[in-house]
Amino acid sequence: MQGLQIKQCGLSSLTLLATFLHCNCLPHSTGGKPFPETAKEIASYANVAKSIIDLAVYGKAQNRSYERLADFTDTIGNRVSGSKNLDLAIKYMFSALRKDGLENVHLEPVKIPHWVRGEESAVMLQPRNHTMAILGLGSSVATPQGGIEAEVLVVESFEELKKRQKEAIGKIVVYNQPFVSYGETVQYREFGASKAAEVGAVATLIRSITPFSINSPHTGWQDYQEGVQKIPTACITVEDAMMMARMAKRGQRIVVRLTMNAQTFPDADSFNTVAEIIGSEHPEQVVLLSGHLDSWDVGQGAMDDGGGALISWEALSLLKDLGLRPRRTLRTVLWSAEEQGGVGAQQYFQLHKVNISNFNLVMESDQGTFTPLGLQFTGSVQAQAVMAEVMKLLKPINTTTLEEHGEGIDIEMWMDAGVPGASLHVADSRYFWFHHTNGDTMSVQSPIEMNLCSALWAVVAYVVADLEEMLPR
């Protein structure tokens, strides 16, 4: 049953799934195997799942993913696209994966953006002197030599900017938009500069996209719109955005001097990093696990997305240690330049989409590796039924939840093309506290939580790769 049909009848696919399971009337899977037989087959993996969980959570591999992440981030630091640090990170991981004894470890070349922040500052000159904490946004142009000194216009939305567009000419627009959700609020970071430039602003300062702040600016990529003047843009703290909003409400004149020395260079050479456990019966068929190796140029990139990359490595390590080789190939891919719009992953898709029928499941972890709850999943109702049974194997660690809508910019093109996709679902209330900040360090990671994430990731990947039939599409 296709997603369009589900939407037309007004029922979510999970509602339909529950209905099908209740009446035991799910259609046969791709090879014609009745669903009860598939469910029985999955249940037979209970002991295997328990052995994976025991090794990851209680056994010799306990805390290994955390220790690997700590060594990686302490050694390399942050790893922004195009940087020498990202090159070092790729070399480090290539060597580590080979040393771990994984198979077909190799690098696949990609071209990635190369933007360098340079020195930057923002100082309020009126109504009082105040130095602000800022982080320029990725792809921003520099200010003219000597910086930009201009009066500030504070707005809370694009709608307010449009109503007050005549006031924006020649000013620095400060967006003080409230945080609703990341998906909704991030549009101000992504498009705020071009929206302000369209009405004559000379620069933008954007309230950081976060629900919580300790005077911490959050960076990220922004997109200039074609045909619109490029103006400098940076994020400021929630505290400074709210302060300027209060000043503006009192009728006080606000003047800021903004200096940014950002530069954009030609695209750089880089690599996606790949390791496998080659399938015993259908090596051409693939279950793909992934996280991204790049980060922003602040903090350590431990949470975003060092944790996701490390559990995607750890999952293969766990299976190797147990001597488990599934029917299909397990392939871990550590993406390059995710933060610039999934650049490495897009090139991977273009290279490998010719074999799209052999991709059984694509998985991505990029929402943190905090306490795992289960998975978010995109696929047919039949595939969801299979995945729901797989998740039951994780009852020993209470991570059995299966939500709708797999997420991840690195796998979305596969899901759009009909390949089932899954993302790690965690208790992520803290994620956007540290996201793209100097606070994204090993101090936010927990070895216990990473053990659980690794176990979940490994169990799901192995069982799906080893079932007699591929997931139904």
Side-chain angles (χ1 to χ4, degrees):
M1 192 174 293
Q2 299 302 311
L4 179 60
Q5 295 170 313
I6 292 166
K7 291 178 181 177
Q8 286 175 337
C9 71
L11 295 172
S12 74
S13 53
L14 286 183
T15 300
L16 283 177
L17 171 59
T19 302
F20 280 130
L21 290 176
H22 180 70
C23 68
N24 198 25
C25 57
L26 270 166
H28 291 189
S29 51
T30 50
K33 188 174 184 177
F35 178 73
E37 290 186 18
T38 300
K40 185 177 180 181
E41 180 191 1
I42 294 169
S44 72
Y45 284 92
N47 288 337
V48 174
K50 185 177 184 301
S51 69
I52 295 170
I53 291 167
D54 286 347
L55 178 61
V57 179
Y58 312 109
K60 291 182 178 180
Q62 184 184 55
N63 301 344
R64 183 169 63 187
S65 59
Y66 175 90
E67 295 297 339
R68 285 174 167 175
L69 178 60
D71 186 77
F72 173 63
T73 55
D74 291 345
T75 300
I76 304 297
N78 55 57
R79 312 165 294 281
V80 72
S81 177
S83 68
K84 290 182 179 179
N85 271 19
L86 180 55
D87 290 343
L88 291 172
I90 292 168
K91 291 175 183 176
Y92 177 107
M93 199 58 67
F94 176 76
S95 175
L97 293 169
R98 292 187 68 180
K99 187 176 180 181
D100 194 33
L102 299 178
E103 299 165 351
N104 196 23
V105 178
H106 65 280
L107 303 176
E108 298 190 7
V110 292
K111 286 283 189 180
I112 61 173
H114 185 193
W115 175 84
V116 176
R117 176 181 307 283
E119 294 184 4
E120 55 190 16
S121 64
V123 180
M124 180 192 293
L125 304 175
Q126 294 184 35
R128 68 177 177 89
N129 189 277
H130 169 63
T131 299
M132 294 188 282
I134 71 164
L135 285 173
L137 294 175
S139 83
S140 177
V141 297
T143 57
Q145 190 172 3
I148 293 173
E149 185 175 316
E151 188 174 345
V152 163
L153 172 68
V154 182
V155 298
E156 290 195 357
S157 65
F158 290 142
E159 291 72 24
E160 183 181 356
L161 176 64
K162 187 175 181 180
K163 290 177 183 177
R164 302 178 65 186
Q165 58 184 296
K166 291 182 180 178
E167 299 176 58
I169 298 171
K171 292 181 181 175
I172 296 173
V173 169
V174 170
Y175 289 99
N176 181 41
Q177 77 289 339
F179 183 87
V180 179
S181 67
Y182 184 76
E184 181 173 339
T185 313
V186 75
Q187 65 181 316
Y188 289 92
R189 188 192 78 202
E190 291 180 338
F191 308 120
S194 287
K195 292 280 189 182
E198 285 176 337
V199 295
V202 295
T204 56
L205 296 173
I206 298 167
R207 173 172 160 169
S208 289
I209 314 303
T210 179
F212 174 80
S213 180
I214 50 172
N215 206 44
S216 48
H218 295 235
T219 191
W221 195 251
Q222 69 90 39
D223 291 303
Y224 288 122
Q225 302 305 290
E226 191 172 346
V228 179
Q229 176 71 29
K230 295 181 180 180
I231 61 174
T233 181
C235 61
I236 57 175
T237 68
V238 171
E239 292 86 344
D240 282 339
M242 294 180 71
M243 178 180 68
M244 285 189 280
R246 294 192 300 270
M247 289 174 170
K249 191 172 183 180
R250 297 186 196 112
Q252 294 175 294
R253 183 172 184 264
I254 307 168
V255 176
V256 167
R257 181 188 297 125
L258 176 66
T259 304
M260 296 176 63
N261 292 311
Q263 297 181 74
T264 297
F265 296 95
D267 284 355
D269 293 322
S270 188
F271 301 92
N272 292 322
T273 308
V274 184
E276 294 180 339
I277 293 177
I278 297 171
S280 61
E281 293 183 19
H282 307 289
E284 76 286 357
Q285 296 174 2
V286 175
V287 168
L288 185 148
L289 309 86
S290 69
H292 64 87
L293 208 53
D294 66 301
S295 72
W296 276 105
D297 56 344
V298 290
Q300 289 184 298
M303 179 192 76
D304 185 17
D305 181 33
L310 265 292
I311 68 165
S312 296
W313 167 16
E314 179 67 16
L316 298 196
S317 289
L318 292 167
L319 302 177
K320 176 185 66 67
D321 290 350
L322 290 167
L324 294 172
R325 183 180 298 275
R327 289 182 170 93
R328 297 172 192 84
T329 293
L330 289 171
R331 179 180 298 163
T332 287
V333 184
L334 309 180
W335 310 112
S336 191
E338 183 276 343
E339 296 291 2
Q340 288 64 38
V343 177
Q346 286 284 352
Q347 292 172 59
Y348 181 89
F349 177 73
Q350 292 303 321
L351 182 65
H352 293 278
K353 66 180 180 180
V354 65
N355 297 315
I356 196 166
S357 63
N358 282 326
F359 280 78
N360 186 24
L361 174 67
V362 290
M363 302 165 62
E364 179 171 18
S365 171
D366 190 20
Q367 292 290 321
T369 45
F370 301 128
T371 301
L373 305 175
L375 290 181
Q376 293 169 288
F377 180 75
T378 293
S380 66
V381 172
Q382 296 96 320
Q384 289 185 44
V386 173
M387 293 301 293
E389 294 300 312
V390 173
M391 298 308 291
K392 291 178 182 178
L393 298 171
L394 292 156
K395 189 175 180 181
I397 53 173
N398 195 29
T399 61
T400 59
T401 301
L402 186 70
E403 300 285 348
E404 289 187 275
H405 306 307
E407 295 183 3
I409 194 171
D410 296 312
I411 61 171
E412 65 182 10
M413 68 291 287
W414 295 96
M415 294 188 292
D416 289 344
V419 178
S423 52
L424 183 64
H425 182 34
V426 301
D428 60 359
S429 61
R430 295 175 292 153
Y431 184 75
F432 291 109
W433 296 8
F434 308 107
H435 183 248
H436 298 180
T437 73
N438 278 301
D440 182 358
T441 67
M442 280 303 299
S443 64
V444 309
Q445 296 293 134
S446 158
I448 294 172
E449 292 173 344
M450 289 194 69
N451 294 338
L452 295 170
C453 290
S454 298
L456 184 159
W457 219 225
V459 168
V460 171
Y462 175 76
V463 173
V464 172
D466 198 55
L467 292 175
E468 290 180 8
E469 296 179 353
M470 292 180 70
L471 290 175
R473 297 196 184 179

